[in-house]
Amino acid sequence: AAFARAAHVTKLVLRNNRVVVNPIEPRAALVEYDADTQHFTVRVGNQGVFGFRNYIAGVLGIGRDKLRVVTPDVGGGFGTKMFVYREYVLVLEAARRLGRPVKWAGDRTEHFLADAQGRDNHAVAEMAMDAEGRFKALRVTIDANLGAYTHQFGPFIPHVGPTMSTGVYDIPALDVTVNGIYTNTVPVDAYRGAGRPEAAFLLEKLVDACARETGLAREEIRRRNFIRPDQFPYTTPTGRKYD
């Protein structure tokens, strides 16, 4: 209904390209296993030892108290070193079967071909406005490339981003559709903000397009549509609460 009543509708088609995470140091792990206590010690450049420990323990079917994770220098992570990859599980199992420490280090080519990458969304966004350039409704359709298979947080990224769709603007009506698509590419996962930068990029590019088409200055169209101080605490159409 808001679009039917709109004085003007601006439409933007945008590609948020795939990015390869590229830390200084590729992933690596060193595992020691104590057969007497059935206890593992893993040294790994990971972005969070407790989540890593919990996932690994679940995969191996062991108690969390049987696994100690030590992270010294990460060497850059940006998201991709947060996850549990198959190599970590294989190194743990190898240490248990061999009864001796086992190390593994990936190389740069392996990183480009196998580690989780980021973004890769195709989006169509439309803004309905009144005659004064005030936003009345936002409609967004996102085709999110998930890669060849579901990664650890993969489907969550294109889901959480749209909850930020209206950003800092008072947009009363919102319709968002997200399509997760499997392709023959490396799986995607959390990368530097994990969905929120994608939402901000899409929205602000759309607002710039609205300014161009309505003849308003970019700062003026934003001034007219910012959430006003007297509206706080403010709840967005997706339930996000700004205090």
Side-chain angles (χ1 to χ4, degrees), residues 14 47 66 81 92 105 154 162 181 191 197-198:
L14 192 67
Q47 289 178 251
K66 295 296 184 180
K81 287 186 180 176
L92 281 150
I181 300 172
Y191 170 74
E198 292 93 310

Side-chain angles (χ1 to χ4, degrees), residues 26-92:
R27 293 186 297 109
L30 171 64
V31 177
E32 297 171 273
Y33 178 67
D34 188 323
D36 294 332
T37 61
Q38 298 182 331
H39 186 274
F40 293 93
T41 299
V42 185
R43 289 175 172 80
V44 58
N46 184 255
Q47 289 178 251
V49 294
F50 295 106
F52 183 90
R53 177 201 63 184
N54 298 346
Y55 276 112
I56 289 284
V59 171
L60 292 178
I62 62 175
R64 297 176 181 178
D65 60 328
K66 295 296 184 180
L67 179 61
R68 181 186 180 216
V69 179
V70 180
T71 291
D73 295 331
V74 176
F78 316 114
T80 198
K81 287 186 180 176
M82 190 185 336
F83 316 120
V84 174
Y85 294 89
R86 66 194 69 190
E87 294 90 357
Y88 300 142
V89 179
L90 292 172
V91 173
L92 281 150

Side-chain angles (χ1 to χ4, degrees), residues 3 9 15 23 30 40 79 88 92 104 117 124 145 159 168 182 184 216 219 225 234 237:
F3 273 87
V9 174
R15 175 72 184 273
L30 171 64
F40 293 93
Y88 300 142
L92 281 150
W104 169 82
Q117 298 173 358
V124 178
N145 186 348
H159 163 76
V168 295
Y182 288 110
N184 63 336
L216 293 169
E219 63 273 18
N225 289 287
Y234 179 90

